[in-house]
Each structure stands twice: as structure tokens, then as C-alpha cells.
Amino acid sequence: MEKTKRKARRLGMLTVAVLLVAAVFSGCSSNNNGKEENGNAAAQTETDTQADSSNTTDTTNTSTNKAETETPADPLAEHMDISIAMWGIGDALPDGVEDPVLDAISKKLNITIKPVNVTWDDYAQKIQVWAASDQLPDLFAIDAVTSPNLTSWATQGIIHQLPDDLSAYPTLAKMMEGPDFQAYKFPLGDPNGKFFSIPRPNFRDANLNANSHGIIIRKDWMQNVGIAKAPETFDEFIALMKAFAEKDPDQNGKKDTVGLTAYSPAWLPYLMQAYEPGLMGGVSTWIRNNGQWIPSFTTDRATEGVKAIKKLYDEGGLDKDIATIKGSEGIDKFASGIAGAYAHDTVPGTLLQIKTKYEQLNPGKKFEDAFMIMPPLKNVDGNYYRFYDTGIWSESYINAKADDAKVDRILRLFDFLLSEEGFNLTHFGIEGVDYVKQGDKIVMVDQKDDTGNALVLSSKYPFMKINYFAEWSGTSSATNPTLPLTLRNMSKENLDNLLANAKTADTDLRLNFIDYPSRAKANEKFDVDLIKVILSKDAEKTWKDMTQAYLADNYDTIIKEFNAKTKELGINP
Amino acid sequence: MKIDANKAAPLAMKVKLKLKHPLIKRMLYYKYFYILIAPAIVLYILFSYIPLYGTILAFKDFNFAKGILHSPWTGRHGFQHFYDLLSEDGFRKAFWNTIVISLGRIIFEFPIPIALAFLINEIRSSVFKKIAQTLFTFPHFISWVVVAGIFFNLLADAGVLNQIIVALGGEKINLLTQPGTFRGLLFATNAWKEAGWSTIIYLAAISGVNPQLYEAAIVDGANRFQLMRYITWPALKSVIGVLLILQIANSFSYGFDQIFNLYNAAVFDVSDTIDTYIYRRTFISGLDFGSSTAIGLFKALISLILMYMANFFVTRSTGKGLY
């Protein structure tokens, strides 16, 4: 009796142990199903000795994986699965949810999109790991153009070169011919280089990017503090911000307001337009100076600008909590009437966020009566300056292992999404159901959700959550019928004024893409340094010490190398 | 091939002899325990030991096409990544901050839960004891993102603290953006959040003390302080020693969440630890696998040395250590 008990106990232990071991091993078994690799003619790769493990990115379900030698009559005849990693694609293609927009795309191109989810927090890490472990999806989005990754990927056969001839994809080809796109060729800075990615523009022309940095102010508060016109010089700006902080602009009898706040400290450098325009975007751009390129943080005007912003802070015109503002705090402060000015961008989408919050808190009042975009401040040299930088952020890369047929299909997908038809589908929904065309104007059909509010289209068509697949929303913000016309006009008037009257810093956009030995050491971050300086006791000394340290540490070398490289490429200062 | 029976015999004898070895015998006797521990050993080998070969990346320039084993070695006999890191001003600063902040944590934060355990232990009413323990433990379950939000609101320019200061006729201060006060703030907020949680272990150790010891001491006329000093303290000493060793070993990787959520540009100089510095640097220039592995290895090595040292001293002073 005792014996059988013991036996049973032993048997039980044994079973548990065996099960545990089995569980461990089943967890890390790989489902190798002998995928063939395709030669990538473009990248000269050494053969990969690693075993090819395919898990998330089992690419094709077609029997032939060899590149087609004879072109079939219909390039879309064969059905394909395309695995794609892009921010939030998991939410945009949820399992088992009907999505007519996605269906239309799939049908049109005869593809099935296999989402490989990445998020804003982990995308860079995940893609790097996949690249290292040979598990990249067919297509992935990342901002890698100026990182060391691009060089390794392009030279080590990780990403696919795009075909030289893009004539089969007219809309895409037209975009890629734009002047700002040429800089994306590899090797960087080489006009004869090859495209290894499809850049994702927010604006196809850098000049249209001027609304990406700006300041919005309360014009009703200006009247309340007795200042009739918008500030022109930096001193007038300081005076206005002080008045916002001290003269009870909201007329509630309490001293509970501040002058300028921001979306985050990174937006404060816009104020440098009055001193050193090369620093307006928060990074130190290269500018012309006596026949060579120099980083703009080294100029005397930069020092003057830093001192001026420090003065704004000391005199109480700047939000005292500027250093710790995160998330939506800044926009909340501004929309709820705590701050009188707000540094961020001035695109219609941002105006709409402020409008929505303001009108919720102040029923019966209109955003357009109380807010305005602040015109540019006059620079010490008498000119006006606007923010100027490439309007492209991030790129899409194709896995080197994709065969020619798959590359063709991916390019066709981009071509479609960039076309008017594809754009309307992914932004406004199904024609006749969600919008109607009146001539060349798009008119949205009013739709309500279950709670009686205006319907958000992406809840009906989840794919719209990644309608930035080929392009960010900037390109369409001026004509997007889902944004109120008043806000689009406000933003457009500001842009027209800037383009007509404001200059750009004396730079060359190709400089962003120049590769030189010490590039990784060029780690000056003006937005961070500016905060350190304005919160220090002696701004001028702190700033001078900082810039001296930068020069002594790396920048003396960086400036030499950079100028040597630009000479070589013929980008002359 | 024919096997010579004569030759085979001694081999069988040898195997028999081998099986008689006391260790083997003991293992066979306890075979079921070995089977039970097998999964854990397999897990360790798979996920902790096999990946160790990847640390050679710290000495290599990673090449995507060649993989880990075939990537070329870096210059300077493979130590290029380490030279690069140590020549970076920001990394040196972060390294120094990591040491200062870890020391501060041991000096200021480590004793608080011990004191708290003594105090909670002295509470007579069991209801109040439970309430106190719950109150102290509760903050541990709030994430740093939320805690940071709470403290930002308390300490902001228009926050509660400044309202009190102004009401008393003082000047406004901002503890969050002053390099002088920021580290103190780190210690205070972490103590507020985690002290109650760390108290649990000490309370468990105290409750394990034989009550007869206390009774006997009371009969002998000991007062409450003497009870604490001569009975509770010796019982706690070894637990404190072990926890101190663990804290010191972890000090190079501890506190990323807290610092990342609380710090800002104004206090980078005093609060940037290795973890936060590397996190930010990857966003500026992108790190390759080689450098990030080098940092990991560097941190692991220092933690190991620290753990050995701590263990040595704790063993010397209390007679009990980790091993």
C-alpha cells in the first residue's frame, strides 16, 4: 500500500518534470520550413552563414520563389502576402474586423498585408534586432537615413536597392524626383548614388515646412492688457509676455496666468529667429561663415539669443515650469487659459486640438476670435526668418530577400497610396458613402457615431490609423476637408506671409546627409542646452563654457572633417 | 568486429565501481529531485548561459551579413568600443553620477525600511498595525509615470509647496530644476514610494523570532529598547546584510524608471546615470550592437566586483553573507 503510494508520487513528479522540460523545448523550437533565399543583385553581399529562421516573416505562400524572368502580362496576376512593420500597424489591421478600405487596397493590388507590429517606443530596437537575426519583414518603416544603420544595411545586403527605372510607378516616380528626395540616395551626399528607401514626406518641398515651428498667442488677452498690435521685436515680445503674466489678462482678479509656455522645452528655440536662425529647430544647423561651414551654435548671435531668452525667463515672461513640461500639459495650459502664448507648430491639426479644448471649456466662445498665429519677430539684422529644414521624416525599406516580383508589388502599393484615388480612400473613406466629389472638391458626408458625436472615420476603417503609410499629413493639411476651413486658412495665411517676407538660415539642406568620420560625435543638442542655460545663474558664462567644451571635445575636429567632405562633394559655403 | 570477453569484463567492473562513487550514489538516491530541478537548469543553460557567447560583440564591429561569430574584431585589440565610451565626456559624467546616486541610495534610503519595520513592530493595536502597513506599502504599486506626475504638480511653480512657501512669506523654489536639490529629491521620492514595500521582508524576519525570547527578557526586566537592541536587531542583522549585498550589486542598473520620469534638461548634469545617458544617446546618434554590448558588459563587470566586495565586508562584520 505504502509502496504504491510512493510509486504514484514518483510517477507524478516524473510527469511534472517531463512536462516542464517539454514546455521549455517547445517554446524555442523553430519552425524551419526551408525558405529559399533570393539573390539580391543590387547589394553585394557575402553569403550569410546563419541558419535561416523564419518566424514572423514567413514571406510568400507561392510555390515559385525565383524571380520571374519573363514578365507576365498582368503584373498583379499572382496573389502575394506582404509582411509590413510600421508604427501601430497592429491596431490598424486588427484580427477579424471588417475593413472595406483595407479590402479595397488588397483587392486592387491582389495582396494580403501581414502586419508585424511595432510601436513608437520599440520600433528602432525591434528593427535593429530583426536585421541582426535575419528576421526582417518585407517592408519596414524607420528613420535611419542619417544613422550608422543605413551604411551597414546598404553595404551588407540587408535592404533592397530600388530599381533605377521607376517609370512603371508614375506617381511615386514623380515624388522621388523632387529636389529634397535626391539627398536620400546612398552613399549619402553622392548625386550619383542609388535609392535604398522610399522617403516619407510631411512636405514635399522644404519651404512648405515653415509652419512646423511657431508660436500661437491670445489676441483677446492682448486687448485686455492694452497692447494693440502683435510684437515685432524681441523686446516687445518680452513686454507682452510679462503683461500676460502680471496684468491679469483673463480679468478674473487673480494672478494665475503665465506668459509663454510650450509643447515641450524642445520648441523654445523657435525664439532664436530674432538672433540666430540656424538654431530655430532646436538643433545646430551648419551655416555659411567666411568661406566655411560652421555649426550655428558657435556664432555671437547665438550667445545674444540665449541671453535674450534668459531675460524673458528672468522677467517672468516664460512659464517657470518650462523644463518639466511633458505630454499634453503645455497645450492644456494654453487652451485652458493659464498661458497666453504657446510654442509648438502652427499646422491646422494643432490649431484644431487647441480649438476643441478651448471651446469645450468656454461654451459659446469661438477659437478664431481669441487666438492668432504670431507673426515672425524681427531679427537683429533687420530681416525676418522662418524655420527651414527638409520636410521629410522617416523612410520605408524593402527587405533584401524580397524577389523582383515582390519589390514591384510593394512599389505599386506605394504608387497607389500616393495617387489621388489611394489618398482619398485612406483619408476620406469610400466615395459615395463617406464623401462625395463636387467638381474637384471633396465634401464629407455627415455621419454620427452611436453616441451622436461626429464619426471618426478611423473607427469605421481601422486602416486609416496608418494613413501615413506613404506620406505624413502635412502635404494634405491645406486641402483636407476633415479639418475646419477657418483653421486651414489661418495656417495658410501664416505660411504665405512667411514665404513672402521671411528668409531662411544661410544653409544647404544637403548638409544633413553628409557622412564624415566623426559624425556620431556631433551630439550638440541646442534645445537641451538652452534649458540648462536659462535656469543657470549666469547665462552668458554657462553658455560660453558649454560651447568651449563642445569645441575642445569634438567640434574642432568635426568642423575640419565636415568642410573637407563638403569640398569633396562640391557643396560650397 | 569481435569483442574480447576478457577485455570487456574489466570495463564492466569499472562502470560498476564508478556507480559506487558516493556522489553518484547520492545522486541516484535523490534522482527525483534532480528530475524536478532539471527544467530550471535547462532554462538557465538556454537563456542565461548560451546567450553569453554574444558578449564577444563588445569586442567586435557587428556586421549584419556576417553575424556575431564572423564579424571583425575592433581595433585596439578589440577594446575600441570601451575606449570610445570612456573618452566620451557624457559617459564619464554619467558613470560618476551613477556611483554618487547609488551611494546616496545606500546611505539615505537603505536604513529607512529597517527603521520603519522596528516602528511598525512596536505598534500594539493589530488593526492599526495593518492600516499602517497598508498605507506604507501602497505607493509601491503606482507606476513612476504617475508618481512623477504627482510630484510635478506638488512642486511646480504654482504647486502646493510653493503656495505654502509664498503664504509664509518666502521665495518660490523649484526643486525639480535645481541641480543642488535634485538628487535629494530622487532619494526622498524613492523612499516614499518603496520603503513600505521593503519593510515587508524585515517584518517577516521579525515575526520569525521566537516569542519566548521576548517573554524571558521581559521577565528579566528588559525595557522595550533593550528588547529591540538585544533580540530584534540580532535577528535582523543577517537579513539586512543579504539585502545590502543585493542592493549594492544592483546599484548600476537601479532606478532608470524613476530618473527617466523625473529628470529634465536642467538637471542632466547631476542625474544622468549610465542607463539614461545611453537611452538618450541612442536617439541622437544611434548605437550599434557592439557599443551597447560593451556597456552591458562594463556594467556587469562592475556589479560583480561590487557584489564580491560587499559580500566580503558583510561576511566579515556579521559572519553571514550570500555565499
Side-chain angles (χ1 to χ4, degrees):
Chain A
M1 187 69 215
E2 188 55 39
K3 241 185 178 172
T4 42
K5 245 190 191 167
R6 233 188 359 239
K7 259 195 178 159
R9 205 166 49 216
R10 279 183 190 176
L11 201 67
M13 276 169 127
L14 199 63
T15 322
V16 168
V18 168
L19 280 176
L20 279 170
V21 176
V24 166
F25 277 107
S26 67
C28 39
S29 71
S30 70
N31 52 342
N32 243 342
N33 45 10
K35 204 172 49 162
E36 269 186 57
E37 268 195 53
N38 289 291
N40 173 8
Q44 295 85 44
T45 73
E46 287 139 86
T47 43
D48 195 340
T49 47
Q50 293 175 349
D52 173 23
S53 68
S54 57
N55 54 3
T56 46
T57 59
D58 194 359
T59 41
T60 63
N61 60 357
T62 53
S63 50
T64 57
N65 239 357
K66 293 268 176 287
E68 301 275 337
T69 42
E70 57 208 76
T71 39
D74 176 10
L76 302 173
E78 179 194 356
H79 178 271
M80 279 189 194
D81 287 357
I82 299 178
S83 55
I84 300 173
M86 192 174 284
W87 314 275
I89 195 168
D91 298 338
L93 280 81
D95 265 347
V97 175
E98 267 300 300
D99 183 350
V101 167
L102 175 66
D103 293 346
I105 296 169
S106 309
K107 216 169 103 194
K108 176 129 195 131
L109 290 145
N110 194 13
I111 53 172
T112 303
I113 296 178
K114 300 276 180 203
V116 179
N117 201 38
V118 289
T119 66
W120 284 105
D121 297 325
D122 66 12
Y123 73 98
Q125 226 174 352
K126 271 190 174 169
I127 286 168
Q128 290 203 58
V129 171
W130 290 334
S133 54
D134 203 19
Q135 295 175 350
L136 281 169
D138 298 332
L139 179 76
F140 57 97
I142 187 172
D143 51 315
V145 71
T146 55
S147 79
N149 281 332
L150 176 64
T151 309
S152 355
W153 292 348
T155 53
Q156 296 167 16
I158 298 291
I159 49 177
H160 212 296
Q161 187 193 320
L162 304 192
D164 287 339
D165 177 17
L166 294 174
S167 57
Y169 327 102
T171 324
L172 175 67
K174 189 167 165 260
M175 177 179 93
M176 301 282 277
E177 281 157 17
D180 296 3
F181 288 77
Q182 295 304 306
Y184 278 74
K185 286 178 170 172
F186 183 83
L188 293 178
D190 181 355
N192 303 319
K194 304 282 182 196
F195 280 118
F196 277 82
S197 68
I198 305 158
R200 181 175 289 98
N202 192 20
F203 294 100
R204 293 189 186 188
D205 173 354
N207 289 311
L208 303 179
N209 209 2
N211 265 328
S212 292
H213 285 254
I215 290 177
I216 306 162
I217 50 176
R218 291 288 297 259
K219 57 182 182 190
D220 56 341
W221 281 20
M222 280 169 55
Q223 282 173 335
N224 294 350
V225 296
I227 294 174
K229 66 178 189 48
E232 269 203 25
T233 63
F234 202 90
D235 286 333
E236 284 175 18
F237 178 72
I238 294 182
L240 179 65
M241 292 305 114
K242 262 179 81 169
F244 280 170
E246 290 165 5
K247 292 194 178 166
D248 192 23
D250 55 352
Q251 297 176 330
N252 66 352
K254 289 193 205 126
K255 193 171 175 295
D256 57 354
T257 53
V258 298
L260 175 71
T261 190
Y263 178 72
S264 81
W267 297 85
L268 210 52
Y270 176 73
L271 293 171
M272 292 303 280
Q273 68 181 325
Y275 294 90
E276 176 48 77
L279 292 169
M280 277 165 80
V283 288
S284 183
T285 49
W286 292 89
I287 50 171
R288 286 186 177 85
N289 181 292
N290 296 330
Q292 69 160 353
W293 294 109
I294 59 162
S296 40
F297 77 87
T298 56
T299 63
D300 291 344
R301 279 158 62 162
T303 310
E304 290 309 302
V306 168
K307 277 159 60 183
I309 297 172
K310 168 73 171 163
K311 187 177 167 201
L312 170 72
Y313 179 83
D314 285 346
E315 299 202 359
L318 183 60
D319 186 347
K320 292 278 183 235
D321 296 327
I322 191 78
T324 51
I325 284 178
K326 283 185 194 169
S328 63
E329 275 173 59
I331 208 166
D332 286 346
K333 265 186 179 177
F334 185 51
S336 63
I338 294 172
Y342 174 66
H344 193 183
D345 56 33
T346 51
V347 301
T350 301
L351 298 176
L352 180 60
Q353 275 185 40
I354 300 168
K355 178 184 166 85
T356 312
K357 279 182 178 160
Y358 172 77
E359 289 175 3
Q360 255 172 0
L361 293 167
N362 303 282
K365 291 199 167 166
K366 284 186 76 69
F367 167 87
E368 290 79 358
D369 302 333
F371 293 77
M372 65 185 271
I373 297 174
M374 191 176 84
L377 298 170
K378 190 180 269 183
N379 188 289
V380 282
D381 68 9
N383 293 307
Y384 293 99
Y385 286 93
R386 57 185 159 94
F387 171 74
Y388 180 62
D389 194 3
T390 173
I392 303 170
W393 186 84
S394 84
E395 314 85 52
S396 306
Y397 294 89
I398 302 174
N399 188 339
K401 284 198 246 165
D403 58 12
D404 294 357
K406 185 165 277 191
V407 173
D408 171 73
R409 195 68 58 91
I410 289 172
L411 294 175
R412 279 178 200 278
L413 172 64
F414 273 89
D415 195 52
F416 171 69
L417 292 174
L418 287 165
S419 70
E420 190 187 354
E421 183 193 350
F423 181 89
N424 291 350
L425 175 70
T426 51
H427 288 74
F428 314 130
I430 310 285
E431 188 171 3
V433 178
D434 306 291
Y435 73 93
V436 285
K437 271 186 165 168
Q438 295 176 346
D440 56 358
K441 246 181 78 176
I442 293 208
V443 180
M444 303 303 294
V445 174
D446 264 339
Q447 299 180 80
K448 297 267 181 284
D449 61 12
D450 304 341
T451 56
N453 294 323
L455 179 82
V456 179
L457 279 179
S458 61
S459 61
K460 187 175 173 186
Y461 309 118
F463 187 83
M464 286 192 180
K465 289 177 185 165
I466 51 163
N467 61 12
Y468 45 72
F469 195 106
E471 242 182 326
W472 297 107
S473 59
T475 44
S476 62
S477 58
T479 52
N480 186 336
T482 60
L483 294 164
L485 183 64
T486 50
L487 304 187
R488 281 188 274 148
N489 288 344
M490 198 188 267
S491 198
K492 173 114 178 41
E493 276 163 27
N494 183 54
L495 181 66
D496 292 344
N497 174 32
L498 288 171
L499 293 180
N501 304 313
K503 297 168 61 169
T504 64
D506 196 2
T507 182
D508 186 318
L509 290 183
R510 290 172 298 173
L511 299 177
N512 286 341
F513 300 94
I514 286 182
D515 214 356
Y516 51 96
S518 305
R519 183 181 180 129
K521 294 202 163 96
N523 54 4
E524 188 275 340
K525 277 190 71 81
F526 178 69
D527 55 350
V528 170
D529 294 342
L530 179 63
I531 292 292
K532 278 187 198 169
V533 171
I534 58 176
L535 291 177
S536 68
K537 295 251 181 318
D538 183 348
E540 192 168 1
K541 186 179 175 306
T542 311
W543 175 250
K544 286 233 159 99
D545 289 351
M546 221 182 255
T547 48
Q548 283 310 315
Y550 275 128
L551 287 168
D553 253 3
N554 308 320
Y555 273 85
D556 281 338
T557 318
I558 288 170
I559 292 168
K560 278 197 198 86
E561 284 179 8
F562 189 86
N563 281 290
K565 189 76 191 178
T566 47
K567 209 175 226 138
E568 199 183 306
L569 293 166
I571 305 175
N572 295 322
Chain B
M1 185 189 151
K2 234 172 74 178
I3 295 174
D4 188 342
N6 288 336
K7 266 192 185 159
L11 189 72
M13 290 280 286
K14 265 188 199 157
V15 172
K16 266 233 164 73
L17 274 177
K18 268 260 168 64
L19 286 178
K20 280 223 168 94
H21 189 282
L23 177 67
I24 303 281
K25 258 174 100 168
R26 220 175 25 197
M27 282 178 77
L28 282 171
Y29 183 79
Y30 289 113
K31 55 183 171 293
Y32 296 105
F33 291 95
Y34 280 102
I35 294 171
L36 261 187
I37 204 176
I41 291 176
V42 170
L43 274 179
Y44 258 94
I45 290 172
L46 278 178
F47 295 110
S48 300
Y49 285 94
I50 292 177
L52 275 180
Y53 87 96
T55 48
I56 60 169
L57 264 187
F59 308 98
K60 290 189 162 204
D61 270 327
F62 183 70
N63 179 310
F64 287 98
K66 294 179 177 174
I68 294 177
L69 291 175
H70 301 277
S71 288
W73 299 100
T74 59
R76 299 207 183 183
H77 310 294
F79 281 89
Q80 188 63 48
H81 291 310
F82 294 91
Y83 282 105
D84 285 350
L85 272 179
L86 293 170
S87 68
E88 262 176 53
D89 199 32
F91 183 82
R92 288 200 301 266
K93 211 177 266 175
F95 183 73
W96 173 241
N97 282 335
T98 309
I99 292 174
V100 173
I101 290 172
S102 309
L103 270 177
R105 288 198 196 282
I106 289 160
I107 295 165
F108 299 110
E109 289 178 29
F110 189 74
I112 293 174
I114 302 169
L116 210 56
F118 272 115
L119 293 174
I120 290 177
N121 189 47
E122 292 303 313
I123 297 173
R124 287 288 159 92
S125 140
S126 66
V127 176
F128 185 55
K129 204 174 189 168
K130 282 269 181 302
I131 291 172
Q133 233 186 304
T134 312
L135 277 179
F136 283 121
T137 317
F138 172 71
H140 168 79
F141 296 99
I142 316 172
S143 90
W144 269 116
V145 180
V146 177
V147 175
I150 295 170
F151 279 105
F152 278 180
N153 282 327
L154 288 176
L155 305 173
D157 191 59
V160 178
L161 178 74
N162 277 325
Q163 283 176 9
I164 295 169
I165 291 175
V166 171
L168 296 173
E171 280 278 308
K172 281 187 175 182
I173 48 167
N174 192 337
L175 297 176
L176 284 161
T177 54
Q178 296 298 328
T181 54
F182 190 77
R183 283 180 188 153
L185 194 77
L186 285 181
F187 304 145
T189 50
N190 199 44
W192 174 82
K193 187 170 177 301
E194 301 298 340
W197 183 251
S198 315
T199 305
I200 294 175
I201 294 180
Y202 298 117
L203 280 173
I206 292 172
S207 64
V209 178
N210 187 345
Q212 287 179 350
L213 291 176
Y214 289 112
E215 286 158 15
I218 291 166
V219 169
D220 287 343
N223 64 23
R224 290 180 72 165
F225 288 102
Q226 286 166 324
L227 289 182
M228 265 195 231
R229 192 176 154 187
Y230 295 107
I231 299 170
T232 316
W233 173 249
L236 270 187
K237 246 173 33 179
S238 58
V239 178
I240 292 171
V242 169
L243 286 179
L244 183 64
I245 296 168
L246 291 177
Q247 163 131 9
I248 290 171
N250 274 337
S251 57
F252 264 68
S253 313
Y254 185 80
F256 173 83
D257 283 2
Q258 181 201 13
I259 295 170
F260 182 74
N261 282 300
L262 283 174
Y263 79 164
N264 54 70
V267 291
F268 282 163
D269 284 346
V270 295
S271 62
D272 229 3
T273 56
I274 294 179
D275 282 347
T276 54
Y277 172 73
I278 295 308
Y279 176 87
R280 275 213 324 282
R281 213 192 84 161
T282 41
F283 278 99
I284 298 168
S285 55
L287 274 180
D288 58 84
F289 288 113
S291 323
S292 34
T293 314
I295 293 156
L297 192 62
F298 187 74
K299 273 170 51 182
L301 194 72
I302 288 175
S303 296
L304 188 73
I305 294 168
L306 283 175
M307 196 182 77
Y308 264 100
M309 279 167 48
N311 190 59
F312 175 79
F313 286 117
V314 169
T315 315
R316 285 292 287 278
S317 56
T318 67
K320 258 192 184 161
L322 264 186
Y323 46 86

